[in-house]
Amino acid sequence: MNDTWLLILYIVVGIAVIGSLLMVFLRTSRNRTKYTDTRDANDPAPGGTLLEDRPGTTAETTPTPGSEDLLTPESAGEAVSIERPEPPAGRLQRLRARLARSNNSLGKGLLALLSSDKIDESVWDEIEETLLLADIGTEPTMQLVDTLRERVKVMGSRTQDEVRAMLREELVRLVDPGMDRSLAVERHGELPAVVMVVGVNGVGKTTTVGKLARVLVAEDKDVLLGAADTFRAAAAEQLATWGARVGVPTVKSDVDGADPASVAFEAVKAGIEQEVDVVMIDTAGRLQNKVGLMDELGKVKRVIEKQTQVDEVLLVLDATTGQNGLNQAKVFSEVVNITGIVLTKLDGTAKGGIVVAIQKSMGVPVKLIGLGEGADDLAPFDAEQFVDAILN
Ligand SMILES: Nc1nc2c(ncn2[C@@H]2O[C@H](COP(=O)(O)OP(=O)(O)OP(=O)(O)O)[C@@H](O)[C@H]2O)c(=O)[nH]1
């Protein structure tokens, strides 16, 4: 009898010990958001990185004791209504009026000039000037003018429709419909796809990450954002707001000027743990002539690659800055391998030809274009639709 009581006592004590060990384990693993190892030789001490959780979920509204590092104060306690973003298919069609309006002189101007009864040298000069003003670039302009001269000669007399068809064909060829413009946003095995967004100050990186998150959510992807722009104080908040609108969590630092590589690392780590499809990393604006900042960007990428590959590095260029974008693209591509261009602010410039110049000089496709400040004003780029928009 005594032996039976002793056995029961052992079992009860055993269960109690296992139970408390389990609770300690659960609490520490919930708090494991801070990365403490050395990631790169010049790593600063790790700062607190916050994971802003999905708005409207129970986890967000009822923080568990000891998990306060996981939640931002502003996200706790409020249920945010989540927007349903517009599907990306057909967006360029919807936004074509903006493109047409700002690039009126390119499309309509060329059509008018080429439809003249007699195209003399002064008309060819004007055609050349129109193309150069649209930032198509010297070499592509010369090539196009030569081809058009040849075709006009062969055509002899021509109707407006024939001119339009010829110009469309040549412009589409120049914009290159054969380039692969798909975004690498598919999970590979157990790991999420990682997209980094880079560029100089103020070109629209944070906005682009926010808009792209909406595109991906509309395509039923599970997304997580990383606010590695730790330089501009408001950038992390701005990004988290974009994310919250579509129910996407954001990893950010609670330390001003924190190590961006650290935040990127934590974001990817959280993305792997949460089994999301895509992790998108916003980076700080950096001038291409600041060597230290460019090195820092290389480091952000290297640190991410300690966990998984970076699938897309999108360089954001402001179309209104014209040819200067080419220089930026060259320097950025020396530090990180650019896989695609996002051309923003095409709604406010007549320099749509920069699409041609950038692709020709970089060999990298324009994958997305920004056509306004609205949340769904980012469209997948399509060569034919682009040309149609500027010709109509
Ligand atoms: N008209 C127009 N404005 C845009 C577009 N994309 C971004 N913007 C605006 O450009 C401004 C700068 O955008 P941000 O996303 O803050 O730029 P950023 O590159 O993250 O800036 P930094 O972090 O300072 O380098 C904002 O006012 C955006 O609304 C676009 O396609 N069209």
Side-chain angles (χ1 to χ4, degrees):
M1 190 64 179
N2 263 354
D3 281 348
T4 315
W5 279 112
L6 211 57
L7 189 66
I8 292 173
L9 192 67
Y10 279 142
I11 292 172
V12 170
V13 170
I15 290 173
V17 169
I18 292 169
S20 29
L21 281 175
L22 207 64
M23 278 182 69
V24 169
F25 172 75
L26 283 176
R27 284 183 66 151
T28 46
S29 66
R30 249 191 252 123
N31 278 327
R32 250 186 317 160
T33 54
K34 286 175 186 159
Y35 183 83
T36 47
D37 295 351
T38 306
R39 277 146 287 188
D40 223 358
N42 61 344
D43 267 4
T49 299
L50 299 176
L51 171 59
E52 179 158 297
D53 221 328
R54 286 165 208 284
T57 61
T58 351
E60 179 208 333
T61 48
T62 52
T64 42
S67 71
E68 50 279 1
D69 273 358
L70 294 174
L71 301 166
T72 51
E74 68 275 16
S75 67
E78 352 162 328
V80 180
S81 68
I82 294 179
E83 294 172 24
R84 251 200 112 74
E86 182 190 301
R91 276 197 197 177
L92 191 50
Q93 203 64 19
R94 174 176 72 76
L95 299 167
R96 63 187 284 165
R98 294 189 195 169
L99 202 52
R101 208 176 309 128
S102 47
N103 285 278
N104 203 19
S105 56
L106 176 59
K108 291 240 173 64
L110 282 179
L111 268 181
L113 287 166
L114 285 164
S115 305
S116 320
D117 287 341
K118 188 168 167 297
I119 309 184
D120 57 20
E121 280 311 307
S122 71
V123 175
W124 284 116
D125 283 350
E126 263 189 83
I127 291 174
E128 193 178 304
E129 198 183 334
T130 308
L131 291 167
L132 287 172
L133 283 174
D135 263 343
I136 282 183
T138 319
E139 213 178 297
T141 294
M142 296 310 164
Q143 277 171 10
L144 182 58
V145 170
D146 284 350
T147 313
L148 291 174
R149 270 180 189 265
E150 200 57 43
R151 290 193 65 169
V152 164
K153 199 157 51 171
V154 173
M155 280 168 97
S157 64
R158 56 212 174 270
T159 65
Q160 174 92 15
D161 283 349
E162 283 167 341
V163 169
R164 181 186 295 274
M166 171 189 70
L167 189 57
R168 181 183 189 278
E169 203 179 301
E170 293 306 328
L171 287 176
V172 168
R173 201 197 310 274
L174 211 58
V175 181
D176 199 348
M179 280 185 143
D180 179 9
R181 299 176 199 279
S182 60
L183 286 172
V185 286
E186 297 305 322
R187 276 177 72 81
H188 22 87
E190 299 288 288
L191 298 167
V194 176
V195 178
M196 260 178 89
V197 175
V198 305
V200 305
N201 306 67
V203 286
K205 292 177 297 302
T206 307
T207 312
T208 295
V209 175
K211 288 175 178 174
L212 190 50
R214 298 174 68 89
V215 167
L216 297 173
V217 166
E219 288 173 344
D220 284 332
K221 293 239 182 294
D222 213 351
V223 181
L224 183 139
L225 306 180
D229 180 355
T230 55
F231 184 73
R232 185 162 62 87
E237 279 311 317
Q238 190 186 333
L239 190 69
T241 304
W242 274 102
R245 284 172 67 179
V246 282
V248 163
T250 302
V251 170
K252 58 183 186 171
S253 176
D254 57 353
V255 176
D256 265 353
D259 179 19
S262 169
V263 180
F265 186 94
E266 295 299 345
V268 173
K269 184 164 162 259
I272 294 170
E273 285 169 357
Q274 295 186 21
E275 299 181 359
V276 302
D277 298 311
V278 191
V279 176
M280 270 202 289
I281 307 290
D282 183 27
T283 62
R286 60 198 77 229
L287 280 177
Q288 71 274 19
N289 56 6
K290 295 274 195 267
V291 179
L293 289 178
M294 293 309 284
D295 287 349
E296 181 190 83
L297 188 63
K299 177 181 162 185
V300 171
K301 183 160 181 272
R302 281 198 308 281
V303 167
I304 294 173
E305 285 166 345
K306 293 188 177 186
Q307 300 179 92
T308 183
Q309 70 195 52
V310 174
D311 300 86
E312 285 278 357
V313 181
L314 297 175
L315 173 68
V316 182
L317 295 176
D318 176 340
T320 63
T321 58
Q323 297 285 323
N324 188 21
L326 296 181
N327 188 27
Q328 293 166 21
K330 218 175 290 161
V331 182
F332 272 86
S333 65
E334 283 164 13
V335 184
V336 282
N337 179 35
I338 306 294
T339 58
I341 306 287
V342 181
L343 210 52
T344 58
K345 312 188 192 182
L346 259 175
D347 51 310
T349 179
K351 296 182 176 299
I354 193 72
V355 169
V356 173
I358 198 87
Q359 291 187 158
K360 286 252 184 247
S361 75
M362 297 277 302
V364 175
V366 171
K367 292 192 169 179
L368 296 156
I369 52 177
L371 286 159
E373 296 193 76
D376 292 325
D377 291 346
L378 182 81
F381 184 76
D382 176 276
E384 299 203 5
Q385 286 180 22
F386 177 76
V387 170
D388 283 341
I390 59 178
L391 280 182
N392 286 303

